[in-house]
Amino acid sequence: MQLKESIYFHSPIFIQNILTTIYGRVLYQERYGAAYHARFEELKRKERQLIDPEQEQLSRLNQFLLFCQTYSPYYKELFETNRIELPFTQLSDLKRIPLLDKETLRTRNAEVHATIDAPILGKTGGTTGKSIQVHYTKEDMQIRMAHLDYFKWTHGIEQGMRRASFTGQHLASEHQKSPVYWRTNKAINQMLFSIKNISPRTIPGYIEQLNRFNPVSIDGLPSGMIEVARYAKKHGIVCTFRPKAIFPTAEMMTRDERSLVEEVFHAPIFDQYASSEGAPIVAECSYGKKHLHYEMGIIEVETDGQILVTSFDTHGTPLVRYRVGDRMTLSHETCRCGHGGPIIASIDGRGRSYIQLKNGHRIFEGELAGIVRAFPNCIERVQYIQENTEEVVLLYVPDDRCFKIEHEKQLYFVLKRLFDGQMEVLLKSVPEIPKEISGKTLLIKQLIPESEQVN
């Protein structure tokens, strides 16, 4: 991977666009196969049928649990120890299975993995920074893509339409002189805009490029969209592009931020939820209700609002009653759209915060959560604390079984580079990260008064 990145960042921008398209073609072939097309057509066909969601969930649940029992050493032992007999006769039987927490998934990773070919590897830092590896089969990934594309299809977006994506990926070399912080993936008619380079100095260029590209849809990290929209409105810059819909991912938006982006970008926002570990997708319909895609799994809400996910499309790393770390509130209302999945009143566990640099650039949660991925399984939790633009304090909880002193040096180097040398970085090893009054553990504690922040 380092060699590929070196070749990419040392290439001219037009070559980087070609490499981006080649990689996009590889991902396309991986994500859009027979399983994708079968599920996508099934979802469209169901719009004209009467379905019993609970019966379908029960059938899919029994199939998935039998798979777990057969192919996962962890679940085989768990089912034997707790005398779990299949098939279940009702969905409530699921509660007989002990929950799976992040620490167990992290420390017993290999045992949870199924003994099948699951070549797609994902890593997640999680909202508190834990490094967890999850595996997917190609069919798992294709089914997830089918649901995401079906969600967009219900809002008028089809494959091949011009798509602008705000991404946390590094797209431009730090030595690049040209202010071009976007790349083209012609494989799916997509333009990628890096949020890493968004600042008051660069935003006019982002708006000009968005106007030229004129996307039919916009998706990705909302923190980048918000920064661009806020700057455009403040400085009276007109966005001439007219997308049909906007699909934010991974981070929360306040009501005011959502209204701002919809106003400046001239399009409605439709929210979605899909965790890195493979939780069932929750997506917003045209009536503003968030529905669980029940074909993908089950979400249980604990008394404190935390959710347990059982995801039917995680065959590489099976997830049964997995405490993903997010919070939701269920609703008992119905919706005119006709979707049979349970309605989620609110998604409460995703946050949006940032570290403020002197030059006005902001490093957002999506980028900071990913730092720990470079140190798999040796750092348990992290928290960034900023009280001024001169210094950032990073609290981290090391796993004493595998953490080494050189890991701290590497972590310091990565952060200094990320903050572009503008801030001092103070690392503190702690036994645990303190929780807030709400019971949540924040990834970022932004303590600079709003009046002192650079806009």
Side-chain angles (χ1 to χ4, degrees), residues 143-205:
I143 287 172
R144 292 188 69 77
M145 292 306 301
H147 279 267
L148 286 171
D149 283 359
Y150 171 75
F151 158 56
K152 294 179 180 180
W153 179 80
T154 62
H155 298 295
I157 305 301
E158 299 187 24
Q159 265 194 52
M161 291 181 170
R162 290 186 308 279
R163 169 185 174 189
S165 300
F166 284 78
T167 176
Q169 296 175 321
H170 279 291
L171 298 180
S173 165
E174 57 185 15
H175 303 297
Q176 177 182 300
K177 295 181 180 179
S178 176
V180 179
Y181 306 113
W182 42 87
R183 298 294 182 267
T184 302
N185 173 15
K186 290 187 177 180
I188 57 172
N189 205 6
Q190 177 189 38
M191 184 162 287
L192 297 156
F193 291 83
S194 176
I195 70 167
K196 292 182 180 294
N197 302 100
I198 290 179
S199 70
R201 178 180 60 83
T202 64
I203 287 176

Side-chain angles (χ1 to χ4, degrees), residues 210-211 214-217 238-245 264-267:
L210 283 164
N211 285 338
N214 192 24
V216 179
S217 70
V238 177
C239 295
T240 60
F241 54 92
R242 294 292 188 274
K244 288 186 176 182
V264 175
F265 288 1
H266 314 289

Side-chain angles (χ1 to χ4, degrees), residues 41 71 87 91 118 125 157 190 219 226 230 268 276 299 325 383 440:
E41 291 304 315
Y71 293 100
L91 288 176
I157 305 301
Q190 177 189 38
D219 58 60
I226 294 164
R230 182 178 289 129
S276 301
I299 290 180
Q383 183 181 72
K440 297 181 181 180

Side-chain angles (χ1 to χ4, degrees), residues 190-327:
Q190 177 189 38
M191 184 162 287
L192 297 156
F193 291 83
S194 176
I195 70 167
K196 292 182 180 294
N197 302 100
I198 290 179
S199 70
R201 178 180 60 83
T202 64
I203 287 176
Y206 277 76
I207 297 173
E208 288 179 13
Q209 185 59 29
L210 283 164
N211 285 338
R212 281 194 293 267
F213 185 57
N214 192 24
V216 179
S217 70
I218 299 175
D219 58 60
L221 299 173
S223 48
M225 304 178 199
I226 294 164
E227 289 297 292
V228 172
R230 182 178 289 129
Y231 184 95
K233 185 169 185 177
K234 179 179 179 180
H235 296 275
I237 301 176
V238 177
C239 295
T240 60
F241 54 92
R242 294 292 188 274
K244 288 186 176 182
I246 302 169
F247 307 107
T249 60
E251 302 167 337
M252 287 183 66
M253 302 178 77
T254 67
R255 183 174 298 178
D256 288 345
E257 290 167 344
R258 179 168 176 152
S259 297
L260 171 68
V261 173
E262 288 183 326
E263 175 192 345
V264 175
F265 288 1
H266 314 289
I269 285 176
F270 300 101
D271 200 8
Q272 60 178 294
Y273 167 86
S275 75
S276 301
E277 292 101 320
I281 289 170
V282 174
E284 186 174 345
C285 73
S286 57
Y287 292 96
K289 306 297 184 184
K290 297 180 178 68
H291 298 267
L292 169 68
H293 284 218
Y294 61 88
E295 301 91 346
M296 302 186 71
I298 297 169
I299 290 180
E300 303 169 74
V301 179
E302 298 186 280
T303 54
D304 65 352
Q306 287 204 63
I307 61 172
L308 305 177
V309 302
T310 298
S311 183
F312 303 152
D313 305 301
T314 53
H315 290 87
T317 305
L319 300 178
V320 178
R321 307 198 75 213
Y322 174 56
R323 183 178 281 155
V324 73
D326 290 337
R327 286 176 166 82

Side-chain angles (χ1 to χ4, degrees), residues 45 58 110 176 208-209 212 272 292 304 339 341 367 371 373 376 392 395:
R45 189 169 59 248
L58 181 60
Q176 177 182 300
E208 288 179 13
Q209 185 59 29
R212 281 194 293 267
Q272 60 178 294
L292 169 68
D304 65 352
H339 192 284
E367 301 174 68
I371 293 296
R373 296 175 192 169
V392 170
L395 305 181

